[in-house]
C-alpha cells in the first residue's frame, strides 16, 4: 500500500508531466543524447519520454556504468545505449552533459575524437557541429564548454533533486548562438520535470545554485531535525515524519497561493506570549536567520570557486578592487612611517671597545 508521501509524490509527478504535455508542440529535437545517466539524467529522461517530447528510440545514453544503462533500458523500451561517447552523440542535435565536473576533460577529449571520426566516413560517427549542448553540471561556466568542445550553441542549467518527481526548479542561460526556436525547445525540455527560469546573465546561475540548487539539502536538514525532535518527544518516526512532511508541504503551498510576504504569514501564526512566540525567540536567539544566510553565501562562493571565479564576495568580504586599494593604502602608510621615523645611531667606538673588554673578561 502506498504511503501518503508516495501518493503525494505521484500526484506531483503526474501533474507536472500533464502540464508539460499540454504545452508540447510539433517541433522538437531530432535526437537527444545524455552523457552520464545518473539520478539527474534519469529525472530528465523519464518525463521527456513520457510526455512525448521525444520517443525513446530517439534518445541515446552513455554512462561508464553498464549496470546503470541496463536499468534505464529496461525502464524505457527502445532507448539507445552506447559503448562510447562518439557513438552516443552521433547525429544528436541536443547533447546533455550530466557527469561529475572532474570528468569533463575526458568528455571534451571524446567530443574532439568524435569530430575527427566524422571526417572518416567509414567510422559511422557524425558529430553535428550545429548541435546544442545542455549542461546540468554545477559550477562550470559556459566558457568552459565553448572552449572544451568547440561547439557554439551552449546552454547551462542548474536543476535540483525534486526534478526526480517532476517538481524541479531549474535556472538556465545560453550563448547568443542559440536561436529563439531552440530556446523554446530547451524550455520545453527543462519544464518537463518542473519549473524553469531563463536568465540572460549567467552569473545568476551560480547564485541560484546556493538557493534552489542546494536548497533541498537545507530543507532536508530542517526536516530531519524536526522529525528527530518529534521522536524525542515520544512520537513514532512514521508519525513524526508525516507531521513534518505535510507541515512543510502545506506551508509552502499556502505561501505560494496567498502570495503574502513570509513575515506576514509568520506573524499570523505567532500569538503574543504564545507557544510559537517562544519557539521563534529561541530560533532568533540562536541566530537562525544568520546561519541560513551564511550557508547560502558559502554555497555561492564555492560555486564561484568551482568555476574559477573570484569567490571573495558577500557580507564582510571586500571586492577584489577594494582589496587592492586596502593593500595600497597600508603600503603607503608603512612608507610614511619609515620616512618620518628617526634612524637609530650606530654604536660609538667607545661602546664597541667596552663590549670587547666585557667579552674578554667573561672568557
Amino acid at each position: 500500500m502506498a504511503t501518503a508521501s508516495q501518493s503525494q509524490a505521484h500526484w506531483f509527478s503526474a501533474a507536472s508531466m500533464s502540464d508539460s504535455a499540454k504545452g508540447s508542440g510539433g517541433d522538437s529535437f531530432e535526437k537527444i543524447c545524455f552523457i552520464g545517466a545518473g539520478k539527474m539524467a534519469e529525472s530528465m529522461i523519464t518525463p521527456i519520454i513520457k510526455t512525448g517530447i521525444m520517443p525513446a528510440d530517439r534518445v541515446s545514453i552513455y554512462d561508464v556504468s553498464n549496470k546503470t544503462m541496463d536499468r534505464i533500458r529496461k525502464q524505457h523500451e527502445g532507448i539507445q545505449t552506447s559503448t562510447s561517447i562518439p557513438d552516443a552523440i552521433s547525429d544528436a542535435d541536443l547533447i546533455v552533459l550530466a557527469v561529475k565536473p572532474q570528468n569533463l576533460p575526458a568528455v571534451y577529449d571524446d567530443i574532439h575524437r568524435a569530430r575527427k571520426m566524422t571526417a572518416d566516413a567509414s567510422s559511422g560517427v557524425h558529430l553535428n557541429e550545429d548541435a546544442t549542448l545542455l549542461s546540468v553540471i554545477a559550477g562550470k561556466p559556459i566558457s568552459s564548454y565553448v572552449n572544451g568542445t568547440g561547439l557554439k550553441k551552449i546552454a547551462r542549467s542548474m536543476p535540483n533533486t525534486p526534478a526526480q518527481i517532476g517538481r524541479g526548479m531549474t535556472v538556465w542561460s545560453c550563448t547568443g548562438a542559440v536561436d529563439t526556436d531552440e530556446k523554446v525547445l530547451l524550455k520545453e525540455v527543462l519544464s518537463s520535470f518542473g519549473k524553469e527560469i531563463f536568465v540572460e546573465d549567467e552569473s545568476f546561475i551560480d547564485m541560484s545554485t546556493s538557493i534552489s540548487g542546494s536548497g533541498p539539502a537545507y530543507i532536508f536538514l530542517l526536516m530531519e531535525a524536526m522529525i528527530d525532535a518529534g521522536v524525542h518527544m515520544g512520537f513514532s518516526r512514521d508519525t513524526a515524519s508525516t507531521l513534518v512532511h505535510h507541515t512543510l508541504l502545506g506551508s509552502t503551498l499556502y505561501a505560494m497561493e496567498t502570495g503574502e510576504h513570509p513575515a506576514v504569514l509568520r506573524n499570523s501564526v505567532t500569538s503574543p506570549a504564545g507557544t510559537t512566540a517562544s519557539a521563534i525567540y529561541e530560533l532568533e536567539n540562536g541566530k537562525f536567520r544568520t546561519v541560513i544566510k551564511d550557508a547560502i553565501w558559502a554555497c555561492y562562493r564555492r560555486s564561484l570557486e568551482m568555476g574559477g571565479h573570484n569567490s571573495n564576495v558577500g557580507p564582510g568580504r571586500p571586492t577584489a578592487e577594494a582589496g587592492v586599494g586596502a593593500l595600497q593604502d597600508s603600503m603607503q602608510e608603512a612608507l610614511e612611517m619609515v620616512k618620518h621615523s628617526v634612524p637609530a645611531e650606530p654604536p660609538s667606538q667607545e661602546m664597541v671597545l667596552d663590549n670587547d673588554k666585557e667579552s674578554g673578561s667573561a672568557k
Side-chain angles (χ1 to χ4, degrees):
M1 183 175 179
T3 64
S5 296
Q6 289 172 330
S7 298
Q8 190 68 57
H10 175 74
W11 177 82
F12 267 175
S13 181
S16 178
M17 291 179 181
S18 175
D19 290 344
S20 178
K22 291 176 183 176
S24 60
D27 295 331
S28 65
F29 291 106
E30 291 298 319
K31 176 184 174 182
I32 299 179
C33 164
F34 286 84
I35 301 178
K39 290 184 178 180
M40 188 53 66
E42 279 193 74
S43 69
M44 298 175 68
I45 292 169
T46 298
I48 285 173
I49 294 175
K50 287 193 174 183
T51 59
I53 291 176
M54 185 67 64
D57 60 3
R58 283 164 55 190
V59 177
S60 68
I61 58 173
Y62 169 79
D63 194 273
V64 293
S65 170
N66 288 326
K67 184 178 179 181
T68 297
M69 289 195 291
D70 287 341
R71 186 183 70 253
I72 295 176
R73 185 171 55 220
K74 290 177 182 178
Q75 293 174 349
H76 305 288
E77 185 179 354
I79 197 169
Q80 304 173 38
T81 56
S82 304
T83 57
S84 69
I85 289 177
D87 179 51
I89 65 177
S90 183
D91 290 322
D93 50 356
L94 177 61
I95 302 170
V96 181
L97 287 188
V99 300
K100 295 186 182 300
Q102 61 266 31
N103 295 333
L104 274 176
V107 173
Y108 293 160
D109 288 343
D110 275 335
I111 291 176
H112 286 296
R113 184 159 65 93
R115 182 173 283 112
K116 292 179 181 178
M117 294 173 71
T118 301
D120 179 6
S122 64
S123 69
V125 172
H126 175 255
L127 173 63
N128 181 359
E129 295 289 353
D130 198 42
T132 300
L133 185 142
L134 170 63
S135 167
V136 295
I137 303 169
K140 292 298 180 181
I142 287 176
S143 59
S144 170
Y145 305 112
V146 173
N147 298 330
T149 67
L151 297 173
K152 302 301 180 185
K153 296 180 178 180
I154 308 292
R156 176 188 171 193
S157 68
M158 186 66 247
N160 61 12
T161 52
Q164 295 178 48
I165 61 165
R167 284 288 165 176
M169 180 65 250
T170 304
V171 179
W172 64 288
S173 188
C174 63
T175 59
V178 179
D179 63 34
T180 302
D181 290 339
E182 289 161 336
K183 285 182 181 179
V184 171
L185 295 178
L186 284 171
K187 180 183 177 73
E188 183 179 47
V189 168
L190 295 172
S191 62
S192 70
F193 49 86
K195 185 172 179 59
E196 56 75 37
I197 293 179
F198 174 78
V199 291
E200 292 284 354
D201 187 346
E202 184 190 0
S203 64
F204 283 105
I205 296 181
D206 288 310
M207 296 179 198
S208 71
T209 299
S210 65
I211 297 177
S212 57
S214 297
Y218 318 152
I219 303 302
F220 297 148
L221 182 59
L222 172 63
M223 187 184 296
E224 181 184 357
M226 292 177 70
I227 291 172
D228 286 347
V231 172
H232 191 212
M233 288 177 182
F235 285 111
S236 68
R237 185 161 293 276
D238 283 346
T239 299
S241 297
T242 299
L243 290 173
V244 173
H245 291 165
H246 284 272
T247 298
L248 292 176
L249 174 62
S251 299
T252 300
L253 292 175
Y254 183 55
M256 292 172 67
E257 289 190 18
T258 62
E260 291 280 8
H261 191 284
V264 173
L265 298 176
R266 176 176 55 80
N267 285 335
S268 69
V269 185
T270 310
S271 302
T275 55
T276 305
S278 296
I280 296 295
Y281 174 81
E282 291 296 336
L283 289 172
E284 297 285 18
N285 200 40
K287 297 184 178 179
F288 181 76
R289 295 171 187 264
T290 302
V291 169
I292 295 297
K293 287 185 283 188
D294 285 349
I296 290 173
W297 275 105
C299 183
Y300 175 42
R301 293 184 190 108
R302 181 57 185 145
S303 180
L304 291 173
E305 288 170 1
M306 290 172 67
H309 298 300
N310 173 38
S311 62
N312 195 28
V313 297
R317 302 289 183 101
T319 62
E321 293 78 6
V324 171
L327 178 61
Q328 291 174 338
D329 291 342
S330 62
M331 291 177 65
Q332 186 62 36
E333 289 177 7
L335 290 173
E336 290 296 326
M337 290 177 64
V338 170
K339 185 188 299 184
H340 295 95
S341 62
V342 179
E345 295 182 0
S348 64
Q349 185 65 25
E350 293 180 1
M351 292 176 65
V352 173
L353 292 174
D354 288 343
N355 287 338
D356 288 343
K357 290 178 181 179
E358 290 178 5
S359 298
S361 60
K363 293 177 180 178

